[in-house]
Amino acid sequence: MDAELRELLSQTITHAAPDGTYSDRGQPNFGSATSYACLIEPAKGEEIVRGAAGEERAARWHIFVDASAQLSPEGKLTLPSGYDPQTPPIWSSQPFYDETGAVHHVEITVGG
C-alpha cells in the first residue's frame, strides 16, 4: 500500500486467530492478538452480505486493513473504543490484490 493511502488508516483494530483448541464449554480459544492499522466505514443503508455458508446477513461496518495476510473470519476482532459492539462478528474477510499480484489490503465486513 502506498504512503498516501496508508495515511488514511488512522484507526487500529486487533485480530486474534483461533488456536484450534476449545474451552470446557466448547468455545474456541484464540492465539495472541495482532494490531492492524485500518479505516472503519459504516455500511451504506441496509447492506446485505453473504456469509461463508451462503446465509444473508446485515453489514454494519467495512474495515479496510493494511495487511498482507488473510484475516480469519473465525478470529476474534476488537474495534477501537466507542464502537458498539466492540467485538462484532466477522461476516467476511477478503484480500484485494495490486497489479503485481501481491495483497494490497484486506476488507473485513462485520455485523453488530
Side-chain angles (χ1 to χ4, degrees), residues 13-16 30 34 36 61 63 65 71-79 85-90 108-110:
I13 58 167
T14 61
H15 180 269
F30 298 95
T34 303
Y36 296 97
W61 297 296
I63 304 170
V65 183
L71 302 176
S72 168
E74 292 82 27
K76 181 179 179 182
L77 180 71
T78 304
L79 303 179
Q86 195 169 12
T87 56
I90 300 172
I108 301 170
T109 304
V110 299

Side-chain angles (χ1 to χ4, degrees), residues 5-56:
L5 288 175
R6 193 170 285 120
E7 287 178 16
L8 297 174
L9 307 181
S10 60
Q11 296 163 298
T12 302
I13 58 167
T14 61
H15 180 269
D19 69 5
T21 64
Y22 295 87
S23 72
D24 58 350
R25 296 181 188 260
Q27 299 298 317
N29 292 316
F30 298 95
S32 298
T34 303
S35 295
Y36 296 97
C38 70
L39 173 66
I40 302 173
E41 292 188 344
K44 295 174 177 74
E46 296 195 18
E47 186 176 337
I48 302 296
V49 295
R50 292 207 183 271
E55 69 280 12
E56 292 183 347

Side-chain angles (χ1 to χ4, degrees), residues 79-101:
L79 303 179
S81 62
Y83 285 89
D84 184 28
Q86 195 169 12
T87 56
I90 300 172
W91 292 155
S92 69
S93 177
Q94 178 178 358
F96 286 82
Y97 301 91
D98 66 15
E99 63 278 356
T100 68

